[in-house]
Amino acid sequence: MCRVLAFIGPETPLEQLLLTPTNSLVNQALDPERHPELQLAGWGFGAWSEHLHNPEEPLIYHRPMAAFYDDNLPHIVPSLRAHTMLAHVRAAAYDAKVVLADENCHPFSFTGSPWIIAQNGYLPNWQLLQRELLQHCSDDYLQQMRGSTDTEFLSVLLLSLLEGDSDEDVQRAVERMIQLIAKAMADLSLPGLTKLKLSLVSANRIIGVNAGLGLHGETNPSGDWEQLRESGPGTDDFDLSMLLEPMYLLMGRNFEKNETTYEFETCEEGEATGAIFASEALTDDTDGWSHVGFGQIVFLHKEGDTVSKTVATLSMEA
């Protein structure tokens, strides 16, 4: 699976989020702690900043190569600050069929939607499942598809199901999307383990999703992900562990204060000025990092100088 990182908070150097931490997103491309493969298929980020010429729109950057090989990175990232960001490093099978192109790098953005979207996940047989799922997709979003990835198609499907941009609207759309995928798998006899660890980000908002379907397309897979992980790569148990493992959440302050050592202060929600939603903790010391468990959705809002958090359980049964 890929690795993802979303941030909201005060205007903070992107270097502090992407490069400086011991387990920074760029380092995860080369040496992820919780994934057996390198993330070599590209990377990208979207960022909102008061310092941009158009602060209402995100700056989107994509490069179809491993992040640590990107010669632009040491020149672009240190010059940028952001109050909202979504970044991603892409994993893909070591296969000549994998298309390495800007169009296949996350995050994905669409005219007509405030959200940019990235995920570390996988929808098996998605090209065939389209036979059932395309009827639920908006022409406006389908016509904007440029790449060949399951995530871009899932983004189109999810945005098409949205009836509004409230937290409740997004949760209903996520639940409906999962139900439709499960039904399509059953109708076409194409069940398969599906990872939907999504991040939807707009200015001063993050919605993080940790969901999916089990090995046989079931909506209620269960198990101890840490015990399952011991089975090792290439086994069904290991794949299930990758589905059931948590996402990581940090509520804190002083993200922007120290520009050399990435020091921040974890704190209670009412005092937090920033938040991170990520595939992995960015620091060796995980004190202060909490989990967003499988089957949960988290809503993070920045209002004024503080960030609020709401965690809900997804209803994935049809």
Side-chain angles (χ1 to χ4, degrees):
M1 286 194 299
C2 310
R3 306 283 89 180
V4 67
L5 168 66
F7 167 79
I8 52 173
E11 289 276 334
T12 297
L14 285 193
E15 191 171 14
Q16 291 296 94
L17 299 166
L18 297 177
L19 300 177
T20 307
T22 54
N23 192 36
S24 71
L25 190 72
V26 172
N27 286 340
Q28 288 174 39
L30 178 63
D31 186 24
E33 292 184 357
R34 299 195 175 279
H35 195 281
E37 297 179 350
L38 305 181
Q39 320 284 301
L40 304 178
W43 82 291
F45 65 84
W48 284 261
S49 175
E50 298 168 3
H51 303 287
L52 294 173
H53 177 67
N54 185 357
E56 303 301 318
E57 298 293 332
L59 167 68
I60 303 289
Y61 177 84
H62 294 144
R63 198 85 190 273
M65 62 172 56
F68 49 85
Y69 281 144
D70 186 354
D71 54 351
N72 288 331
L73 187 149
H75 305 290
I76 292 177
V77 171
S79 67
L80 295 173
R81 303 171 69 88
H83 60 76
T84 306
M85 184 203 67
L86 175 59
H88 182 273
V89 291
R90 183 185 177 213
Y94 301 143
D95 190 315
K97 295 179 182 178
V98 173
V99 179
L100 302 182
D102 285 346
E103 292 83 359
N104 286 339
C105 294
H106 309 212
F108 295 100
S109 61
F110 295 85
T111 300
S113 171
W115 302 103
I116 60 174
I117 299 175
Q119 78 155 347
N120 55 341
Y122 172 62
L123 176 61
N125 300 306
W126 70 274
Q127 295 96 333
L128 299 178
L129 293 173
Q130 286 183 105
R131 285 187 286 173
E132 297 293 327
L133 298 174
L134 280 170
Q135 61 185 307
H136 303 285
C137 294
S138 162
D139 289 349
D140 289 342
Y141 293 129
L142 280 172
Q143 290 171 350
Q144 295 181 57
M145 283 190 66
R146 299 170 60 231
S148 57
T149 65
D150 54 348
T151 300
E152 187 178 22
F153 175 69
L154 285 169
S155 300
V156 166
L157 177 59
L158 179 58
L159 294 177
S160 300
L161 294 171
L162 281 173
E163 297 179 351
D165 295 322
S166 71
D167 292 350
E168 295 77 14
D169 288 323
V170 175
Q171 181 169 345
R172 282 193 296 269
V174 169
E175 292 169 343
R176 180 61 174 153
M177 179 178 70
I178 296 169
Q179 293 162 4
L180 288 171
I181 292 170
K183 184 177 185 303
M185 286 182 170
D187 290 347
L188 297 175
S189 298
L190 292 170
L193 187 141
T194 303
K195 307 180 190 81
L196 299 172
K197 297 174 185 286
L198 292 157
S199 295
L200 292 84
V201 175
S202 62
N204 298 311
R205 291 178 70 189
I206 297 171
I207 299 179
V209 177
N210 187 0
L213 303 170
L215 291 161
H216 306 289
E218 66 272 25
T219 58
N220 59 344
S222 62
D224 184 319
W225 74 271
E226 291 179 302
Q227 291 182 5
L228 292 166
R229 185 65 54 88
E230 295 174 2
S231 62
T235 64
D236 285 349
D237 281 355
F238 187 89
D239 290 344
L240 184 58
S241 79
M242 298 294 287
L243 170 66
L244 298 175
E245 71 174 329
M247 297 289 283
Y248 287 80
L249 178 64
L250 176 75
M251 306 289 288
R253 59 190 176 192
N254 294 334
F255 290 89
E256 77 281 19
K257 298 299 183 183
N258 193 316
E259 299 191 9
T260 58
T261 61
Y262 187 73
E263 293 180 352
F264 56 80
E265 181 181 349
T266 59
C267 59
E268 297 299 322
E269 177 184 340
E271 302 173 341
T273 63
I276 293 174
F277 176 75
S279 302
E280 299 185 9
L282 302 187
T283 53
D284 294 331
D285 180 2
T286 58
D287 288 347
W289 291 86
S290 60
H291 289 164
V292 178
F294 178 77
Q296 292 186 321
I297 183 170
V298 61
F299 305 97
L300 301 165
H301 290 254
K302 181 175 181 288
E303 298 180 6
D305 294 328
T306 60
V307 174
S308 64
K309 174 188 71 176
T310 302
V311 179
T313 299
L314 291 162
S315 175
M316 293 183 279
E317 296 288 346

